[in-house]
Amino acid sequence: MDLEQIEKTHSAEQPEATFAPSLATTSKKVFVKTYGCQMNVYDSQRMTDALAADGYAGTESIEDADLVLLNTCHIREKAAEKVYSELGRMRGLKAERAARGQEMVIGVAGCVAQAEGREILRREKAVDLVIGPQTYHRLPDALRRARGGEKVVETEYAIEDKFEHLPKPRRAEIIGRGVTAFLTVQEGCDKFCTFCVVPYTRGSEVSRPVAQIVAEAEKLADAGVRELTLLGQNVNAWHGEGPDGGEWGLGRLLYRLAEIPGIARLRYTTSHPRDMDDELIEAHRDLPALMPYLHLPVQAGSDRILKAMNRRHKAADYVRLIERIRAARPDMAMSGDFIVGFPGESDADFEATMQIVRDVGYAQAYSFKYSPRPGTPGADMKDHVAEAVKDERLQRLQALLNEQMRDFNAGMAGRTMDLLIEKPGRDQGQRVGRSPWLQPVIVDETAGEIGDIINVRITRAGHSLFAEPV
Ligand code: 5AD
Ligand code: SF4
């Protein structure tokens, strides 16, 4: 991953990605750089779609860009500060382009835009446009104003639904984006964990209607997508009115999406333990398409810290919940997020986090040092933990998690499983597939075409997994 390599993160966070939609019919170019979670990856795609309609083609080269958009993340201080160093670099590029008589509009989108708004314009004069995640459907208009010389700030929460107003992804644009896709079904959060900025940057919880989600999923399937990952900051809190007039939860929605021809695999992320209801657990029992891999963050193992974090469950509730999920789907692999050094965390509290990791056993995990975020209750709490103590705890936790992840991968040797062939491999003659547990697996290109699901046996499980068709 990228963002905070030192902390070996992810979860939420994806490698920084750029996009280059292949509509080369115009002279204007946009460079989009994405930080943060999968939600931002999805949003970057939708913004790129909206801009394509306005005549912007994607470019991988920032020097050639008439428009640069940074889609930013505010989750930890380091993520947010990165944006300003990047903007500083862009100031120079903008001046070089101006000297050649070329335009470079600089836009800041995403969660830093939402959280800091006008402050960004004050700190970095090269920025022309600041646009928050709830207002992306206004991007083309905001861009026109920015190109006219106005400094534009669009961070007011829109009353209208941005999903309704963003242009629908067009087929030509979806094709070529691969056989796996993200689909945002829910955005925002009402949980107010005391460490977290999300309720402030993404607003309160909003679920997209069933019909809109099904239509988008069908369109993706039609464009060759085989694996859909439903996204939401609190995805398992998704709810909506079904075509039968009844209230649906995420479990019910998954049953419906599993019926779409072409969609062979379903995933969802990120979930809160409080919202894993019975129907969702039953979906894991009943739907072979629902992959046996669940990202269910617990953050900490001490009841005292869980309470201070306002997680509203105890450590034992979480462990019991996972037992129920594994009873429904015995091959379920767990993934989680952890925070060390939350205010007031004692040695004993931290040991409880180590213990819950041992009790659950994770296939994948992301761990972070607590980073006080302005405006959140945690930032104003007493007894902040010394940085050196956070460092030491993070190191110990990551050693344990890394050991579990290594064991999980090593345990794959000799096993047979279905593989979705996803893309060409790094070496010639190879392809990379995805296991049900999200692991990249390398096969010979003769094993199948991209988009095929093949049955394989793992022949080698070291740093990478290798497999042969059975
Ligand atoms: N400090 C450190 N980690 C945080 N996360 C969220 N807020 C903070 C913070 N203030 C972590 C949580 C969350 C993941 C996306 O990022 O573990 O699940
Ligand atoms: Fe970062 Fe959260 Fe915004 Fe995603 S929603 S970009 S994790 S602050």
Side-chain angles (χ1 to χ4, degrees), residues 134-453:
Q134 276 74 24
T135 50
Y136 290 156
H137 53 293
R138 298 195 200 139
L139 178 59
D141 174 61
L143 180 59
R144 263 186 294 278
R145 283 155 50 210
R147 293 187 70 206
E150 193 184 327
K151 293 277 180 188
V152 181
V153 180
E154 282 277 8
T155 49
E156 287 300 310
Y157 281 16
I159 305 155
E160 69 264 40
D161 173 8
K162 81 168 184 192
F163 295 108
E164 272 298 349
H165 290 79
L166 273 171
K168 305 280 173 282
R170 286 183 300 183
R171 211 167 166 257
E173 290 153 359
I174 298 172
I175 291 173
R177 278 190 190 162
V179 295
T180 63
F182 294 134
L183 200 174
T184 295
V185 300
Q186 178 279 337
E187 202 172 337
C189 185
D190 296 338
K191 292 272 187 307
F192 291 93
C193 299
T194 52
F195 52 80
C196 189
V197 289
V198 167
Y200 313 97
T201 57
R202 291 278 174 168
S204 56
E205 215 168 276
V206 178
S207 292
R208 291 178 73 186
V210 177
Q212 225 182 69
I213 295 167
V214 171
E216 193 168 323
E218 283 172 343
K219 201 150 194 175
L220 289 164
D222 194 37
V225 168
R226 308 297 320 271
E227 177 177 307
L228 261 189
T229 302
L230 309 185
L231 298 182
Q233 266 93 25
N234 209 341
V235 70
N236 59 344
W238 177 91
H239 57 96
E241 192 186 318
D244 52 3
E247 175 82 355
W248 285 19
L250 188 69
R252 190 67 194 279
L253 180 67
L254 287 162
Y255 282 95
R256 173 67 187 86
L257 295 175
E259 290 170 5
I260 297 176
I263 297 297
R265 292 180 160 195
L266 292 166
R267 306 178 185 275
Y268 57 91
T269 196
T270 289
S271 297
H272 192 290
R274 294 261 308 194
D275 293 316
M276 286 304 297
D277 66 13
D278 292 345
E279 196 171 26
L280 187 50
I281 296 174
E282 282 158 20
H284 280 286
R285 181 195 62 200
D286 298 342
L287 293 175
L290 189 51
M291 292 292 101
Y293 177 98
L294 182 62
H295 185 66
L296 191 66
V298 68
Q299 314 294 357
S302 142
D303 287 341
R304 211 170 61 81
I305 296 298
L306 286 170
K307 187 154 201 276
M309 287 177 163
N310 192 31
R311 295 290 291 176
R312 300 189 294 142
H313 66 79
K314 296 210 155 87
D317 300 327
Y318 177 81
V319 174
R320 254 195 314 271
L321 173 62
I322 290 176
E323 281 166 8
R324 283 179 56 218
I325 296 168
R326 283 182 166 151
R329 181 85 203 225
D331 60 348
M332 180 65 78
M334 297 305 304
S335 158
D337 291 341
F338 299 90
I339 296 177
V340 301
F342 189 77
E345 187 185 74
S346 67
D347 284 337
D349 291 323
F350 174 67
E351 289 309 325
T353 298
M354 295 290 278
Q355 191 53 45
I356 205 166
V357 170
R358 287 185 204 105
D359 290 345
V360 171
Y362 288 89
Q364 186 64 265
Y366 310 95
S367 44
F368 315 96
K369 287 190 284 181
Y370 173 68
S371 165
R373 306 306 289 129
T376 59
D380 298 328
M381 286 180 185
K382 297 194 304 280
D383 299 328
H384 278 266
V385 174
E387 211 51 30
V389 175
K390 286 187 198 170
D391 282 331
E392 194 255 338
R393 288 180 186 165
L394 186 67
Q395 244 174 44
R396 280 189 57 206
L397 176 61
Q398 290 191 338
L400 176 61
L401 290 168
N402 286 339
E403 184 185 308
Q404 292 191 344
M405 294 183 225
R406 261 196 316 272
D407 288 351
F408 182 76
N409 285 334
M412 294 287 144
R415 283 181 67 170
T416 58
M417 64 184 69
D418 281 345
L419 207 63
L420 169 60
I421 304 185
E422 212 185 336
K423 56 189 175 197
R426 210 169 283 164
D427 293 337
Q428 248 206 330
Q430 292 182 337
R431 294 212 164 115
V432 184
R434 220 185 253 219
S435 82
W437 304 282
L438 270 186
Q439 300 144 299
V441 179
I442 300 162
V443 289
D444 195 83
E445 66 180 358
T446 56
E449 297 302 316
I450 288 170
D452 288 352
I453 293 175

Side-chain angles (χ1 to χ4, degrees), residues 3 11-13 35-40 71-76 79 110-112 133 196-198 201-202 233:
L3 262 195
S11 139
E13 287 152 55
Y35 301 82
C37 63
Q38 293 102 328
M39 183 85 69
N40 269 10
N71 195 4
T72 61
C73 175
H74 201 246
I75 197 92
R76 282 169 292 275
C111 296
V112 176
C196 189
V197 289
V198 167
T201 57
R202 291 278 174 168
Q233 266 93 25

